[in-house]
Amino acid sequence: MTDYNLLARVHDLAGNTVTRNAVVSVLTGTVTKADPTKLPLANGQVRNATFAYGRNLAAGQTYIDPVTGVTVLKLTSATYPVANTAAMKGYATSGPRISQPWVGSDGHTYYTIALDSPNGFIDLRYDTFASSNFRDPGINCAEVDMAFSLNQATPRHCFSFTGGNVLRRYDTATGNEVVGNGFPKTISGQSSIRWLQTQLNDTWIAFMNNSNHVYLAYKPSTNVVRTMTGARSGLTHDELHLDLLNPIVYLSTDNEPNANAPWNLETDTLNKTANGVVFQSDDHCTPGLGFVGGMGHWQANGGAYTYQGDINKGTHIILTTAEYHSANADFYHNGAWCMNTRGPNVVDQWFVTSREFQDNAGTKIRRYALAFVKADGSQLRLIGHHDSSGNSGDTYFKWSKPSLSPDGKLLMWTSDMNGSNRTDVFVAKIPVS
Amino acid sequence: MLPIIDSIQVAPGTVSPGGSFTVTVVAHDPDSKSYTLTGNAIDSLGGKTAFSGQVNISDPLTFELTDPSGAGFVITPRANQPGVFDCKAP
């Protein structure tokens, strides 16, 4: 780490000048990036039937995934971070639910993780995988109700709603609200806002009023609020997905052929150009850095796909790779890796997929798998198996629903640990180079 | 008299190479003075209502932030927010 002294000068009209130093510390050494290519290609590997995964571990203990060699931390237990009957991380997309990395006063790199249950924040030291400082400052961290800042200057800030329609910004280090520069913001006419998500620099923040599926977006720098009702779009809204880079919300729909219609927030225009491939019920796709992608829709056949909402041409770009999973495409996705990426273009990006309760022999993604998908569909890399045995019935909260950190170095998921009577949260350390 | 720098905040104080941070400088002019002006509004019947207003007179302050090390920091003054600088480490 190297300390630099920037020089601040203040002058008055008479030319009187006063100076002071502003010290900033810059980390030195090689900057590593998450590198999915160091993981094995996904080629149909199945969960190790004799390995215990994290079932018998205490919170804070780790295991090595027997198929991929990835280190996995069991973050929670029935008694940690506080006594609980079920620990969960929340939904796959929205958020992000893991902060950017930040450097503590001890010089070590930490991430802050938001837990859905027990509600609150916990810090995770990267090198030792030691967690500490769980706190519940009264900020709603439910599964789609908070998002960490993606402004590099504020890695410990987050956003959450109170009262159903007041968007607030908080410092998760202190639990205090941070006011000013567009916050707090009351979203008029709405009362049950959820599905909170942000993008690079927190330029736009998007969310949905849950009671009527009205999609909304707010630009704090200009105080602009955009509104997309179902009547306006002509679509049956299900989820919204805010591009991590571009001012675009992809309208995920419910049994509609016009899936992922891009809504340009700057021009407030919606593009419903026929996309050529019908992915109905595409509600579990993920936004990424310049795209939205998935492994086929939630209920039927399909291959991996990405859509780019081209803000200049207003067209869709579709890349399809078949035979990743055959039928029964019960996937969740997360593409929060938007910082320190492997390259600047869409084809350089990766998103994560999970397969929850169905299986097809002979396909590359089998039940329990967690895998990276390259955004051009050209590669699948296996991270490990989540070991959660939720099925298609009433086990929604047992599904793994994985989420990446904004730098792609951590992956977090929920598991019921092979059908145990509780769920816990696990965190994997992604290989780097 | 010299301007007085009340505080300098660097957030975050530690960044990765290429990382962004914000420097906020708060300062004031000790020569500034505050005056209260008073007046009366009188109608045609002679009714009178007093009013007053306060005015502050001070030099406008100019803020600068530089990188004497030449390490390659990118420093951008934030529009309409004197004393706030968006920075990027080399």
Side-chain angles (χ1 to χ4, degrees), chain A residues 104-172:
Chain A
S105 57
D106 57 3
H108 295 293
T109 298
Y110 291 80
Y111 296 77
T112 300
I113 286 174
L115 293 177
D116 171 287
S117 175
N119 186 88
F121 302 104
I122 192 166
D123 298 334
L124 183 63
R125 184 171 147 176
Y126 181 70
D127 57 350
T128 62
F129 246 12
S131 65
S132 62
N133 190 28
F134 175 77
R135 66 274 191 195
D136 179 6
I139 300 168
N140 179 11
C141 295
E143 63 169 351
V144 287
D145 292 344
M146 69 76 59
F148 280 107
S149 168
L150 288 176
N151 183 333
Q152 286 190 320
T154 55
R156 303 181 76 178
H157 285 185
C158 79
F159 307 100
S160 186
F161 275 91
T162 60
N165 71 340
V166 182
L167 178 61
R168 298 184 189 278
R169 178 175 54 185
Y170 299 94
D171 184 344
T172 63

Side-chain angles (χ1 to χ4, degrees), chain A residues 1 4-14 16-27 31 103 152-153 155 181, chain B residues 1-3 5 8 10-17 20-22 59-66 68-69 71 73 81 89:
Chain A
M1 196 158 64
Y4 291 90
N5 289 305
L6 302 182
L7 191 62
R9 287 193 190 89
V10 180
H11 318 267
D12 63 15
L13 275 182
N16 297 313
T17 300
V18 62
T19 61
R20 285 257 299 271
N21 284 334
V23 181
V24 61
S25 302
V26 180
L27 297 173
V31 176
V103 178
Q152 286 190 320
N181 297 322
Chain B
M1 294 174 67
L2 292 173
I5 294 178
I8 296 182
V10 182
T14 303
V15 297
S16 299
S20 298
F21 59 99
T22 302
D59 282 354
L61 298 179
T62 303
F63 296 81
E64 292 179 29
L65 185 70
T66 58
S69 74
F73 284 87
Q81 293 187 53

Side-chain angles (χ1 to χ4, degrees), chain B:
Chain B
M1 294 174 67
L2 292 173
I4 293 175
I5 294 178
D6 300 303
S7 66
I8 296 182
Q9 185 179 34
V10 182
T14 303
V15 297
S16 299
S20 298
F21 59 99
T22 302
V23 176
T24 303
V25 183
V26 177
H28 72 274
D29 174 15
D31 298 324
S32 66
K33 290 184 172 58
S34 180
Y35 297 92
T36 300
L37 305 179
T38 61
N40 294 303
I42 304 171
D43 65 17
S44 58
L45 299 177
K48 185 167 69 174
T49 301
F51 61 86
S52 64
Q54 193 169 43
V55 61
N56 293 308
I57 298 177
S58 69
D59 282 354
L61 298 179
T62 303
F63 296 81
E64 292 179 29
L65 185 70
T66 58
D67 167 25
S69 74
F73 284 87
V74 178
I75 299 170
T76 307
R78 189 176 294 176
N80 303 318
Q81 293 187 53
V84 181
F85 299 87
D86 294 309
C87 308
K88 188 170 186 178

